[in-house]
Structure formats: C-alpha cells, structure tokens
Amino acid sequence: MAAHAAVRVRHYRSRAWALPVTLGVAYGFYAGFLRRTGRDVNWGDVLFGVVCGVIVAALAFGLGRIQQSLSHEVRAAAYATLFGGAMGYLFSQTGASVLKSSVMGLVLGGAMLVCAFYVFHTRE
C-alpha cells in the first residue's frame, strides 16, 4: 500500500487540449481556403493554414490555462481580443482593406466581449 501511496497522480483536465486543437484546425483550414482565392491548392496555402491554426490553437490553449486566475472582466476582454483579432485577420485575407478588417475585428470582438462577460457573470 505504501508504494501505491507514493505515486503522484496528476489531476489535469484530460481534454484541456481538445477545444483549442479543434479551433486551430478549423481556423487553419479556413485561413488556407481564403488564401487560395480560386486557384489550385499549393503547398504555400497548406503551410499558411497550418501556421495560422497552430498560432490560434496555442493562444487558445494558453488562455485556457490561465483563465481561472483572471477576473471576469479581464477574462472576457482576453477572449474578446483573441476572437476579434483572429476574425479581423481572417477578414483581411479576403482582400479587404486594413481599416475595414480592423472595424470588423472590433465589432466581432465587442460582440464576444458582451457574450463572454454575460456568461462569466451568470455561470460563475
């Protein structure tokens, strides 16, 4: 029994990576699709999608790891910043101007701020 008690059990959430990876894969596929712009898929488009997906997944995973240490307001702002920045960047891949992409990112980020703030205050 003593040998069993000496084994440290890590209590991590076993699926803490599942949502960030899913978001990263979906984001990467869509980013690569937008970059393609009607021509055949090449390795540059695939690499672009993979890099975009890895970056979004890493940011989402990092935010998920530290979210419990943040207050409700700061956590909502962090999710809004990540979402607004990611969507604004995707919108810029359609050929839109920087100003239009920035406005779209701010609008979608603002919507995420309101939604996340509501969820964090009513569920916790």
Side-chain angles (χ1 to χ4, degrees):
M1 188 68 167
H4 179 67
V7 175
R8 286 184 58 168
V9 178
R10 293 184 181 178
H11 294 287
Y12 290 12
R13 286 188 237 166
S14 62
R15 291 177 274 161
W17 53 269
L19 184 59
V21 168
T22 304
L23 290 173
V25 167
Y27 190 88
F29 273 129
Y30 196 58
F33 172 77
L34 288 177
R35 184 165 172 110
R36 187 173 65 92
T37 62
R39 64 185 194 299
D40 291 337
V41 176
N42 60 28
W43 286 107
D45 300 333
V46 173
L47 181 63
F48 180 76
V50 168
V51 169
C52 287
V54 166
I55 290 171
V56 166
L59 290 173
F61 181 76
L63 183 56
R65 298 288 288 174
I66 66 165
Q67 73 176 346
Q68 295 303 324
S69 64
L70 302 174
S71 68
H72 294 226
E73 295 82 10
V74 174
R75 189 182 331 168
Y79 277 107
T81 301
L82 178 61
F83 183 74
M87 291 300 110
Y89 183 71
L90 275 183
F91 192 71
S92 74
Q93 294 303 306
T94 64
S97 69
V98 173
L99 180 61
K100 197 171 186 180
S101 300
S102 299
V103 168
M104 183 62 72
L106 286 172
V107 167
L108 291 174
M112 176 58 96
L113 178 69
V114 170
C115 293
F117 187 77
Y118 174 77
V119 168
F120 295 147
H121 272 285
T122 57
R123 306 283 169 118
E124 296 177 2

